[in-house]
Amino acid sequence: MVASLKPANPGDSICDIETPALILDLDLFEENLRRFDRSIVGNNVRVRPHAKSHKCPAIAKIQIGRGAAGVCCQKTSEAEIMVANGITDVLVSNQVVTPKKILRIVELSKKASVSVLVDNPENVNLINDIASKHNVRVRVLIELDVGANRCGVTDDHSLLQLAKSIQNSPFITFIGIHAYQGRAQHVRNKVEREALIRTAIEKVLHARDLLESLGFSCDYVTGAGTGTYEFEAASGVYSEIQPGSYIFMDADYGKNLDENQKPVSEFLQSLFVLTTVMSTANPKRPIVDAGLKSLSVDSGLPLVFDSKTMYVGASDEHGVLESPEDTYKIGDTLRLIPGHCDPTVNLYDWIVCVRGNNVEDTWPILARGASI
């Protein structure tokens, strides 16, 4: 449940926002949406943005309003929240393996178009068994391991066994192939990122040929992320792409390089953590109110936006800065660029939407913490 206390209200000034707060610069967010739309012109692909980046039905509706086919979710609970808030086409881009979760997918499939991934015949059999008791067909995609070394079928024999289990399951509907190269998203060199996706495409083509020889229709191939989607979109093999972070960006994506070995600049940093200086006892090491409970540091410490000041340390509720000049005063606010946007969003109940110096709206992060 979203906390009742909002950090701000529409009409407030930025300086009135209670911190730490997750803020979204709407001008930059909207420009990212436009840039993304332009970047896929001429490619025959659908877009299914990944909602794990924002966990916010309000943003999902904006994306669908711009032509997205639906959204991806990573958890059954995320999908339930999206469907409950009017999103009618959801791909759970993950395996759902326990009987209780499968039953929730079955129930959700009565209300919306919901799909899940499979890479194991036993999982297929269990889904079919539970679905049969409710006279519901569950839509599945076969997940291939195309280099992430995570989930997904890794060899022809396993793929054939999985395909046969689907063929023998009357309450399972095969709809396509899922092939996401997650490890490629943050490979810094563009040539190396593209090479990893070429390898992924070769694996998809091989698997598609094998499945089609068994009578499966494999027109639907989905995957891709913000770091590589341009390659999948242009491949002629992927029919759908799943970028998520492009709407926000973060410090880690900012380290990716373009073909000229310069930082990638397709998208703008629109998401920030607004924080307040709470101590200047040491003027060269100001302390702010955004620490580990306000920022995910799995991809490194945040950056201080538009400043030479550095964020150098974090404890639960404190962030330590190093400033080249003792210019900060108690009560000053500054914007931090999260190292990793997805888990940072998951720490907040609200996205505070700002335009210029004013708060325009607040969007609840309804799927915050949805992890089961």
Side-chain angles (χ1 to χ4, degrees), residues 77-339:
S77 49
E78 288 178 348
E80 288 168 332
I81 291 167
M82 289 293 161
V83 171
N85 285 274
I87 308 303
T88 60
D89 194 328
V90 178
L91 165 60
V92 180
S93 50
N94 212 348
Q95 281 67 25
V96 178
V97 299
T98 63
K100 286 185 178 180
K101 285 191 177 72
I102 292 170
L103 179 58
R104 288 160 58 195
I105 292 294
V106 168
E107 293 298 326
L108 207 55
S109 297
K110 298 175 183 178
K111 306 171 186 177
S113 176
V114 178
S115 311
V116 299
L117 308 186
V118 293
D119 65 2
N120 184 287
E122 292 181 9
N123 185 207
V124 171
N125 295 338
L126 183 58
I127 293 172
N128 183 72
D129 180 56
I130 294 172
S132 69
K133 295 174 182 176
H134 296 268
N135 197 32
V136 171
R137 295 181 68 90
V138 174
R139 294 155 51 93
V140 305
L141 294 90
I142 288 177
E143 180 168 22
L144 304 179
D145 180 356
V146 292
N149 296 328
R150 200 164 56 185
C151 299
V153 177
T154 59
D155 59 80
D156 289 357
H157 175 74
S158 298
L159 179 61
L160 289 171
Q161 292 299 110
L162 184 61
K164 289 176 183 177
S165 70
I166 292 172
Q167 284 180 324
N168 293 328
S169 300
F171 289 88
I172 298 287
T173 299
F174 172 80
I175 63 169
I177 294 172
H178 186 270
Y180 172 59
Q181 219 310 12
R183 297 180 68 183
Q185 304 309 312
H186 299 278
V187 170
R188 303 309 174 199
N189 184 283
K190 184 175 183 178
V191 173
E192 293 175 7
R193 289 199 301 278
E194 186 173 14
L196 289 171
I197 299 308
R198 281 201 302 271
T199 299
I201 290 169
E202 290 171 2
K203 292 182 178 182
V204 171
L205 288 172
H206 176 74
R208 189 175 71 178
D209 288 346
L210 192 58
L211 288 169
E212 288 179 345
S213 72
L214 297 175
F216 287 85
S217 174
C218 298
D219 294 334
Y220 181 25
V221 178
T222 183
T226 296
T228 67
Y229 78 87
E230 61 182 307
F231 309 128
E232 287 96 339
S235 69
V237 174
Y238 282 74
S239 58
E240 185 178 270
I241 53 174
Q242 307 171 0
S245 299
Y246 72 97
I247 56 173
F248 294 152
M249 301 305 285
D250 55 34
D252 196 75
Y253 264 120
K255 297 175 185 176
N256 280 7
L257 304 176
D258 63 17
E259 60 273 10
N260 298 314
Q261 299 303 300
K262 294 182 179 180
V264 170
S265 59
E266 281 95 333
F267 301 109
L268 306 171
Q269 185 63 45
S270 67
L271 186 80
F272 305 90
V273 171
L274 188 70
T275 188
T276 299
V277 176
M278 57 192 295
S279 174
T280 56
N282 181 341
K284 295 293 180 67
R285 289 176 67 85
I287 306 301
V288 295
D289 62 0
L292 295 173
K293 293 183 180 179
S294 305
L295 292 150
S296 174
V297 298
D298 63 297
S299 295
L301 294 173
L303 303 178
V304 180
F305 177 66
D306 200 24
S307 173
K308 294 180 180 180
T309 298
M310 297 180 64
Y311 188 109
V312 296
S315 52
D316 282 1
E317 308 292 358
H318 298 82
V320 181
L321 308 182
E322 282 189 357
S323 174
E325 300 176 359
D326 46 344
T327 57
Y328 289 104
K329 304 184 299 296
I330 289 177
D332 284 350
T333 58
L334 50 124
R335 298 185 183 197
L336 303 177
I337 300 173

